[in-house]
Amino acid sequence: MSPSLAARATAELVGTALLVATVVGSGVMATRLTHDVAVQLLANSLATGAVLVALIVSLQPVSAAFNPVVTLAEVVLRVLAPRAAVALVVAQLLGGAIGAVLANVMFDLDAVSIATRDRTGAGVWTGEVVATLGLLLVVLGCARARRPDAIPWAVAGWIVAAYWATSSTSFANPAVTVARTLSDSFAGISPASVPMFVLMQLLGGAVALGVMRLLHPSPPSPLEATDG
């Protein structure tokens, strides 16, 4: 028996909330423990990779996308109805906002503090295309290989690597991007930087779908889960 839409939306909300709480919270903790930016990024990336494995493994039987780009890809691949996708994306966005607020509160910051860190420029935008392209290729490739058990580890591996390999530090997720505007901390992004980030993430997702259609021209099997 397939999980109900309510159950799937709840899983997406809770999962995205815990993902964002980890991304933001580990960033705050890192900056309080060290002034070395490289160590801060290392701590942030490892915490993000670890929580992705934990959340995807535990929530995968219900729903574990935590990412509107992945959910939209499922619609394009006709494995998810548009109406269901709307509910899941709303849950992801709401969950992300909750996660950012929780992180702020845990570290005795204002519950909402609008981020002031601008992340802009052609290089950074290109980084977001690459980060999202890689993420979607990992998710779709594992699903195509009928290896849903590999998705948590593959997604975490890509995200940790992309934190370091891309100029944008791999947001690769519109829900997480929007949520990170609510914390003026290490992981924050100014609201003015968000539109181009989301556009580049959608572009990266579209390119990934095109590449997968070339690699696997036959109809895809349903996606099992994803990320970051």
PDB file of all heavy atoms in Angstrom, residues 66-99:
ATOM      1  N   PHE A  66      13.000  16.212  -0.479  1.00  0.00           N
ATOM      2  CA  PHE A  66      13.445  17.417   0.230  1.00  0.00           C
ATOM      3  C   PHE A  66      13.913  18.516  -0.723  1.00  0.00           C
ATOM      4  O   PHE A  66      14.644  19.417  -0.318  1.00  0.00           O
ATOM      5  CB  PHE A  66      14.588  17.108   1.216  1.00  0.00           C
ATOM      6  CG  PHE A  66      14.437  15.856   2.004  1.00  0.00           C
ATOM      7  CD1 PHE A  66      15.508  15.014   2.226  1.00  0.00           C
ATOM      8  CD2 PHE A  66      13.201  15.491   2.539  1.00  0.00           C
ATOM      9  CE1 PHE A  66      15.378  13.849   2.961  1.00  0.00           C
ATOM     10  CE2 PHE A  66      13.048  14.329   3.285  1.00  0.00           C
ATOM     11  CZ  PHE A  66      14.140  13.499   3.491  1.00  0.00           C
ATOM     12  N   ASN A  67      13.495  18.453  -1.974  1.00  0.00           N
ATOM     13  CA  ASN A  67      14.054  19.341  -2.997  1.00  0.00           C
ATOM     14  C   ASN A  67      13.049  19.543  -4.132  1.00  0.00           C
ATOM     15  O   ASN A  67      12.718  18.591  -4.836  1.00  0.00           O
ATOM     16  CB  ASN A  67      15.343  18.728  -3.539  1.00  0.00           C
ATOM     17  CG  ASN A  67      16.117  19.667  -4.433  1.00  0.00           C
ATOM     18  OD1 ASN A  67      15.560  20.550  -5.086  1.00  0.00           O
ATOM     19  ND2 ASN A  67      17.425  19.483  -4.482  1.00  0.00           N
ATOM     20  N   PRO A  68      12.565  20.769  -4.337  1.00  0.00           N
ATOM     21  CA  PRO A  68      11.591  21.019  -5.406  1.00  0.00           C
ATOM     22  C   PRO A  68      12.090  20.651  -6.803  1.00  0.00           C
ATOM     23  O   PRO A  68      11.288  20.265  -7.655  1.00  0.00           O
ATOM     24  CB  PRO A  68      11.338  22.528  -5.300  1.00  0.00           C
ATOM     25  CG  PRO A  68      11.581  22.840  -3.861  1.00  0.00           C
ATOM     26  CD  PRO A  68      12.749  21.976  -3.485  1.00  0.00           C
ATOM     27  N   VAL A  69      13.400  20.756  -7.053  1.00  0.00           N
ATOM     28  CA  VAL A  69      13.908  20.404  -8.380  1.00  0.00           C
ATOM     29  C   VAL A  69      13.718  18.911  -8.632  1.00  0.00           C
ATOM     30  O   VAL A  69      13.322  18.493  -9.726  1.00  0.00           O
ATOM     31  CB  VAL A  69      15.389  20.795  -8.526  1.00  0.00           C
ATOM     32  CG1 VAL A  69      15.940  20.302  -9.873  1.00  0.00           C
ATOM     33  CG2 VAL A  69      15.564  22.299  -8.435  1.00  0.00           C
ATOM     34  N   VAL A  70      13.978  18.100  -7.636  1.00  0.00           N
ATOM     35  CA  VAL A  70      13.782  16.654  -7.780  1.00  0.00           C
ATOM     36  C   VAL A  70      12.294  16.344  -7.951  1.00  0.00           C
ATOM     37  O   VAL A  70      11.905  15.514  -8.778  1.00  0.00           O
ATOM     38  CB  VAL A  70      14.356  15.912  -6.566  1.00  0.00           C
ATOM     39  CG1 VAL A  70      14.057  14.418  -6.661  1.00  0.00           C
ATOM     40  CG2 VAL A  70      15.863  16.142  -6.469  1.00  0.00           C
ATOM     41  N   THR A  71      11.466  17.009  -7.185  1.00  0.00           N
ATOM     42  CA  THR A  71      10.019  16.789  -7.296  1.00  0.00           C
ATOM     43  C   THR A  71       9.513  17.183  -8.679  1.00  0.00           C
ATOM     44  O   THR A  71       8.698  16.466  -9.286  1.00  0.00           O
ATOM     45  CB  THR A  71       9.287  17.593  -6.201  1.00  0.00           C
ATOM     46  OG1 THR A  71       9.750  17.145  -4.914  1.00  0.00           O
ATOM     47  CG2 THR A  71       7.781  17.386  -6.283  1.00  0.00           C
ATOM     48  N   LEU A  72       9.991  18.294  -9.216  1.00  0.00           N
ATOM     49  CA  LEU A  72       9.601  18.708 -10.568  1.00  0.00           C
ATOM     50  C   LEU A  72      10.108  17.713 -11.607  1.00  0.00           C
ATOM     51  O   LEU A  72       9.424  17.445 -12.605  1.00  0.00           O
ATOM     52  CB  LEU A  72      10.136  20.107 -10.864  1.00  0.00           C
ATOM     53  CG  LEU A  72       9.488  21.248 -10.093  1.00  0.00           C
ATOM     54  CD1 LEU A  72      10.200  22.567 -10.379  1.00  0.00           C
ATOM     55  CD2 LEU A  72       8.005  21.365 -10.451  1.00  0.00           C
ATOM     56  N   ALA A  73      11.285  17.156 -11.385  1.00  0.00           N
ATOM     57  CA  ALA A  73      11.806  16.139 -12.300  1.00  0.00           C
ATOM     58  C   ALA A  73      10.890  14.924 -12.332  1.00  0.00           C
ATOM     59  O   ALA A  73      10.656  14.324 -13.387  1.00  0.00           O
ATOM     60  CB  ALA A  73      13.219  15.732 -11.887  1.00  0.00           C
ATOM     61  N   GLU A  74      10.351  14.561 -11.183  1.00  0.00           N
ATOM     62  CA  GLU A  74       9.417  13.434 -11.131  1.00  0.00           C
ATOM     63  C   GLU A  74       8.157  13.724 -11.934  1.00  0.00           C
ATOM     64  O   GLU A  74       7.588  12.822 -12.561  1.00  0.00           O
ATOM     65  CB  GLU A  74       9.053  13.135  -9.677  1.00  0.00           C
ATOM     66  CG  GLU A  74      10.202  12.571  -8.859  1.00  0.00           C
ATOM     67  CD  GLU A  74       9.766  12.214  -7.451  1.00  0.00           C
ATOM     68  OE1 GLU A  74       9.420  13.126  -6.697  1.00  0.00           O
ATOM     69  OE2 GLU A  74       9.770  11.006  -7.127  1.00  0.00           O
ATOM     70  N   VAL A  75       7.727  14.982 -11.921  1.00  0.00           N
ATOM     71  CA  VAL A  75       6.563  15.365 -12.726  1.00  0.00           C
ATOM     72  C   VAL A  75       6.889  15.241 -14.208  1.00  0.00           C
ATOM     73  O   VAL A  75       6.111  14.685 -14.997  1.00  0.00           O
ATOM     74  CB  VAL A  75       6.108  16.799 -12.392  1.00  0.00           C
ATOM     75  CG1 VAL A  75       4.982  17.240 -13.344  1.00  0.00           C
ATOM     76  CG2 VAL A  75       5.637  16.886 -10.947  1.00  0.00           C
ATOM     77  N   VAL A  76       8.048  15.751 -14.620  1.00  0.00           N
ATOM     78  CA  VAL A  76       8.456  15.690 -16.024  1.00  0.00           C
ATOM     79  C   VAL A  76       8.573  14.240 -16.482  1.00  0.00           C
ATOM     80  O   VAL A  76       8.192  13.898 -17.614  1.00  0.00           O
ATOM     81  CB  VAL A  76       9.798  16.425 -16.227  1.00  0.00           C
ATOM     82  CG1 VAL A  76      10.323  16.213 -17.651  1.00  0.00           C
ATOM     83  CG2 VAL A  76       9.633  17.919 -15.947  1.00  0.00           C
ATOM     84  N   LEU A  77       9.061  13.378 -15.610  1.00  0.00           N
ATOM     85  CA  LEU A  77       9.227  11.965 -15.940  1.00  0.00           C
ATOM     86  C   LEU A  77       7.924  11.170 -15.778  1.00  0.00           C
ATOM     87  O   LEU A  77       7.897   9.969 -15.979  1.00  0.00           O
ATOM     88  CB  LEU A  77      10.315  11.349 -15.062  1.00  0.00           C
ATOM     89  CG  LEU A  77      11.727  11.912 -15.291  1.00  0.00           C
ATOM     90  CD1 LEU A  77      12.689  11.353 -14.256  1.00  0.00           C
ATOM     91  CD2 LEU A  77      12.205  11.599 -16.694  1.00  0.00           C
ATOM     92  N   ARG A  78       6.869  11.869 -15.382  1.00  0.00           N
ATOM     93  CA  ARG A  78       5.526  11.280 -15.271  1.00  0.00           C
ATOM     94  C   ARG A  78       5.459  10.159 -14.244  1.00  0.00           C
ATOM     95  O   ARG A  78       4.745   9.159 -14.423  1.00  0.00           O
ATOM     96  CB  ARG A  78       5.051  10.779 -16.635  1.00  0.00           C
ATOM     97  CG  ARG A  78       4.940  11.897 -17.658  1.00  0.00           C
ATOM     98  CD  ARG A  78       4.408  11.404 -18.980  1.00  0.00           C
ATOM     99  NE  ARG A  78       4.321  12.500 -19.940  1.00  0.00           N
ATOM    100  CZ  ARG A  78       3.879  12.368 -21.189  1.00  0.00           C
ATOM    101  NH1 ARG A  78       3.494  11.171 -21.633  1.00  0.00           N
ATOM    102  NH2 ARG A  78       3.843  13.412 -21.994  1.00  0.00           N
ATOM    103  N   VAL A  79       6.198  10.337 -13.161  1.00  0.00           N
ATOM    104  CA  VAL A  79       6.087   9.394 -12.053  1.00  0.00           C
ATOM    105  C   VAL A  79       5.441  10.059 -10.845  1.00  0.00           C
ATOM    106  O   VAL A  79       5.303   9.434  -9.791  1.00  0.00           O
ATOM    107  CB  VAL A  79       7.463   8.798 -11.674  1.00  0.00           C
ATOM    108  CG1 VAL A  79       8.031   8.007 -12.830  1.00  0.00           C
ATOM    109  CG2 VAL A  79       8.425   9.894 -11.236  1.00  0.00           C
ATOM    110  N   LEU A  80       5.042  11.316 -11.009  1.00  0.00           N
ATOM    111  CA  LEU A  80       4.366  12.052  -9.940  1.00  0.00           C
ATOM    112  C   LEU A  80       3.355  12.996 -10.560  1.00  0.00           C
ATOM    113  O   LEU A  80       3.671  13.713 -11.523  1.00  0.00           O
ATOM    114  CB  LEU A  80       5.383  12.853  -9.116  1.00  0.00           C
ATOM    115  CG  LEU A  80       4.836  13.663  -7.942  1.00  0.00           C
ATOM    116  CD1 LEU A  80       4.279  12.732  -6.859  1.00  0.00           C
ATOM    117  CD2 LEU A  80       5.929  14.552  -7.362  1.00  0.00           C
ATOM    118  N   ALA A  81       2.143  12.991 -10.034  1.00  0.00           N
ATOM    119  CA  ALA A  81       1.090  13.862 -10.561  1.00  0.00           C
ATOM    120  C   ALA A  81       1.361  15.309 -10.173  1.00  0.00           C
ATOM    121  O   ALA A  81       1.844  15.579  -9.064  1.00  0.00           O
ATOM    122  CB  ALA A  81      -0.263  13.432 -10.011  1.00  0.00           C
ATOM    123  N   PRO A  82       1.070  16.274 -11.062  1.00  0.00           N
ATOM    124  CA  PRO A  82       1.308  17.689 -10.751  1.00  0.00           C
ATOM    125  C   PRO A  82       0.649  18.145  -9.457  1.00  0.00           C
ATOM    126  O   PRO A  82       1.245  18.906  -8.689  1.00  0.00           O
ATOM    127  CB  PRO A  82       0.723  18.412 -11.966  1.00  0.00           C
ATOM    128  CG  PRO A  82       0.856  17.428 -13.088  1.00  0.00           C
ATOM    129  CD  PRO A  82       0.603  16.090 -12.445  1.00  0.00           C
ATOM    130  N   ARG A  83      -0.574  17.691  -9.190  1.00  0.00           N
ATOM    131  CA  ARG A  83      -1.267  18.114  -7.971  1.00  0.00           C
ATOM    132  C   ARG A  83      -0.520  17.642  -6.731  1.00  0.00           C
ATOM    133  O   ARG A  83      -0.371  18.381  -5.758  1.00  0.00           O
ATOM    134  CB  ARG A  83      -2.698  17.574  -7.962  1.00  0.00           C
ATOM    135  CG  ARG A  83      -3.514  18.014  -6.750  1.00  0.00           C
ATOM    136  CD  ARG A  83      -4.952  17.540  -6.841  1.00  0.00           C
ATOM    137  NE  ARG A  83      -5.632  18.111  -8.008  1.00  0.00           N
ATOM    138  CZ  ARG A  83      -6.889  17.861  -8.336  1.00  0.00           C
ATOM    139  NH1 ARG A  83      -7.616  17.024  -7.596  1.00  0.00           N
ATOM    140  NH2 ARG A  83      -7.428  18.425  -9.392  1.00  0.00           N
ATOM    141  N   ALA A  84      -0.034  16.424  -6.762  1.00  0.00           N
ATOM    142  CA  ALA A  84       0.747  15.909  -5.634  1.00  0.00           C
ATOM    143  C   ALA A  84       2.054  16.680  -5.494  1.00  0.00           C
ATOM    144  O   ALA A  84       2.501  16.978  -4.386  1.00  0.00           O
ATOM    145  CB  ALA A  84       1.025  14.429  -5.822  1.00  0.00           C
ATOM    146  N   ALA A  85       2.651  17.033  -6.627  1.00  0.00           N
ATOM    147  CA  ALA A  85       3.911  17.772  -6.601  1.00  0.00           C
ATOM    148  C   ALA A  85       3.743  19.118  -5.921  1.00  0.00           C
ATOM    149  O   ALA A  85       4.622  19.554  -5.166  1.00  0.00           O
ATOM    150  CB  ALA A  85       4.437  17.955  -8.022  1.00  0.00           C
ATOM    151  N   VAL A  86       2.641  19.791  -6.175  1.00  0.00           N
ATOM    152  CA  VAL A  86       2.391  21.087  -5.542  1.00  0.00           C
ATOM    153  C   VAL A  86       2.389  20.940  -4.024  1.00  0.00           C
ATOM    154  O   VAL A  86       3.011  21.726  -3.300  1.00  0.00           O
ATOM    155  CB  VAL A  86       1.064  21.690  -6.033  1.00  0.00           C
ATOM    156  CG1 VAL A  86       0.685  22.910  -5.201  1.00  0.00           C
ATOM    157  CG2 VAL A  86       1.158  22.079  -7.503  1.00  0.00           C
ATOM    158  N   ALA A  87       1.687  19.923  -3.531  1.00  0.00           N
ATOM    159  CA  ALA A  87       1.618  19.697  -2.082  1.00  0.00           C
ATOM    160  C   ALA A  87       2.998  19.406  -1.506  1.00  0.00           C
ATOM    161  O   ALA A  87       3.354  19.914  -0.421  1.00  0.00           O
ATOM    162  CB  ALA A  87       0.664  18.546  -1.780  1.00  0.00           C
ATOM    163  N   LEU A  88       3.791  18.623  -2.219  1.00  0.00           N
ATOM    164  CA  LEU A  88       5.122  18.276  -1.709  1.00  0.00           C
ATOM    165  C   LEU A  88       6.065  19.476  -1.724  1.00  0.00           C
ATOM    166  O   LEU A  88       6.846  19.665  -0.788  1.00  0.00           O
ATOM    167  CB  LEU A  88       5.706  17.126  -2.538  1.00  0.00           C
ATOM    168  CG  LEU A  88       4.930  15.806  -2.494  1.00  0.00           C
ATOM    169  CD1 LEU A  88       5.657  14.737  -3.282  1.00  0.00           C
ATOM    170  CD2 LEU A  88       4.700  15.347  -1.063  1.00  0.00           C
ATOM    171  N   VAL A  89       5.994  20.286  -2.772  1.00  0.00           N
ATOM    172  CA  VAL A  89       6.858  21.468  -2.836  1.00  0.00           C
ATOM    173  C   VAL A  89       6.493  22.465  -1.739  1.00  0.00           C
ATOM    174  O   VAL A  89       7.373  23.055  -1.095  1.00  0.00           O
ATOM    175  CB  VAL A  89       6.776  22.132  -4.223  1.00  0.00           C
ATOM    176  CG1 VAL A  89       7.451  23.505  -4.211  1.00  0.00           C
ATOM    177  CG2 VAL A  89       7.423  21.240  -5.277  1.00  0.00           C
ATOM    178  N   VAL A  90       5.199  22.657  -1.509  1.00  0.00           N
ATOM    179  CA  VAL A  90       4.773  23.541  -0.417  1.00  0.00           C
ATOM    180  C   VAL A  90       5.312  23.019   0.914  1.00  0.00           C
ATOM    181  O   VAL A  90       5.808  23.789   1.749  1.00  0.00           O
ATOM    182  CB  VAL A  90       3.239  23.660  -0.374  1.00  0.00           C
ATOM    183  CG1 VAL A  90       2.775  24.355   0.904  1.00  0.00           C
ATOM    184  CG2 VAL A  90       2.734  24.430  -1.590  1.00  0.00           C
ATOM    185  N   ALA A  91       5.233  21.715   1.122  1.00  0.00           N
ATOM    186  CA  ALA A  91       5.746  21.115   2.358  1.00  0.00           C
ATOM    187  C   ALA A  91       7.250  21.324   2.484  1.00  0.00           C
ATOM    188  O   ALA A  91       7.765  21.611   3.573  1.00  0.00           O
ATOM    189  CB  ALA A  91       5.409  19.630   2.395  1.00  0.00           C
ATOM    190  N   GLN A  92       7.971  21.195   1.378  1.00  0.00           N
ATOM    191  CA  GLN A  92       9.423  21.404   1.399  1.00  0.00           C
ATOM    192  C   GLN A  92       9.773  22.847   1.756  1.00  0.00           C
ATOM    193  O   GLN A  92      10.666  23.103   2.571  1.00  0.00           O
ATOM    194  CB  GLN A  92      10.007  21.038   0.031  1.00  0.00           C
ATOM    195  CG  GLN A  92       9.954  19.550  -0.281  1.00  0.00           C
ATOM    196  CD  GLN A  92      10.040  19.246  -1.769  1.00  0.00           C
ATOM    197  OE1 GLN A  92      10.103  20.159  -2.597  1.00  0.00           O
ATOM    198  NE2 GLN A  92      10.038  17.979  -2.116  1.00  0.00           N
ATOM    199  N   LEU A  93       9.065  23.791   1.154  1.00  0.00           N
ATOM    200  CA  LEU A  93       9.331  25.203   1.436  1.00  0.00           C
ATOM    201  C   LEU A  93       9.005  25.546   2.886  1.00  0.00           C
ATOM    202  O   LEU A  93       9.780  26.250   3.564  1.00  0.00           O
ATOM    203  CB  LEU A  93       8.515  26.084   0.478  1.00  0.00           C
ATOM    204  CG  LEU A  93       8.961  26.054  -0.987  1.00  0.00           C
ATOM    205  CD1 LEU A  93       7.909  26.721  -1.867  1.00  0.00           C
ATOM    206  CD2 LEU A  93      10.309  26.745  -1.158  1.00  0.00           C
ATOM    207  N   LEU A  94       7.878  25.054   3.372  1.00  0.00           N
ATOM    208  CA  LEU A  94       7.491  25.309   4.756  1.00  0.00           C
ATOM    209  C   LEU A  94       8.469  24.641   5.716  1.00  0.00           C
ATOM    210  O   LEU A  94       8.901  25.237   6.708  1.00  0.00           O
ATOM    211  CB  LEU A  94       6.071  24.798   5.001  1.00  0.00           C
ATOM    212  CG  LEU A  94       5.513  24.978   6.421  1.00  0.00           C
ATOM    213  CD1 LEU A  94       5.523  26.446   6.820  1.00  0.00           C
ATOM    214  CD2 LEU A  94       4.097  24.413   6.505  1.00  0.00           C
ATOM    215  N   GLY A  95       8.838  23.402   5.415  1.00  0.00           N
ATOM    216  CA  GLY A  95       9.788  22.692   6.262  1.00  0.00           C
ATOM    217  C   GLY A  95      11.128  23.392   6.321  1.00  0.00           C
ATOM    218  O   GLY A  95      11.738  23.504   7.387  1.00  0.00           O
ATOM    219  N   GLY A  96      11.584  23.908   5.179  1.00  0.00           N
ATOM    220  CA  GLY A  96      12.852  24.630   5.161  1.00  0.00           C
ATOM    221  C   GLY A  96      12.820  25.851   6.062  1.00  0.00           C
ATOM    222  O   GLY A  96      13.763  26.114   6.814  1.00  0.00           O
ATOM    223  N   ALA A  97      11.734  26.606   5.983  1.00  0.00           N
ATOM    224  CA  ALA A  97      11.601  27.799   6.829  1.00  0.00           C
ATOM    225  C   ALA A  97      11.597  27.422   8.303  1.00  0.00           C
ATOM    226  O   ALA A  97      12.253  28.079   9.137  1.00  0.00           O
ATOM    227  CB  ALA A  97      10.316  28.554   6.465  1.00  0.00           C
ATOM    228  N   ILE A  98      10.888  26.362   8.650  1.00  0.00           N
ATOM    229  CA  ILE A  98      10.856  25.902  10.041  1.00  0.00           C
ATOM    230  C   ILE A  98      12.250  25.507  10.507  1.00  0.00           C
ATOM    231  O   ILE A  98      12.673  25.826  11.618  1.00  0.00           O
ATOM    232  CB  ILE A  98       9.873  24.723  10.190  1.00  0.00           C
ATOM    233  CG1 ILE A  98       8.435  25.205   9.979  1.00  0.00           C
ATOM    234  CG2 ILE A  98      10.027  24.062  11.562  1.00  0.00           C
ATOM    235  CD1 ILE A  98       7.416  24.081   9.895  1.00  0.00           C
ATOM    236  N   GLY A  99      12.976  24.814   9.647  1.00  0.00           N
ATOM    237  CA  GLY A  99      14.323  24.386  10.001  1.00  0.00           C
ATOM    238  C   GLY A  99      15.258  25.541  10.267  1.00  0.00           C
ATOM    239  O   GLY A  99      16.064  25.503  11.214  1.00  0.00           O
TER     240      GLY A  99
END
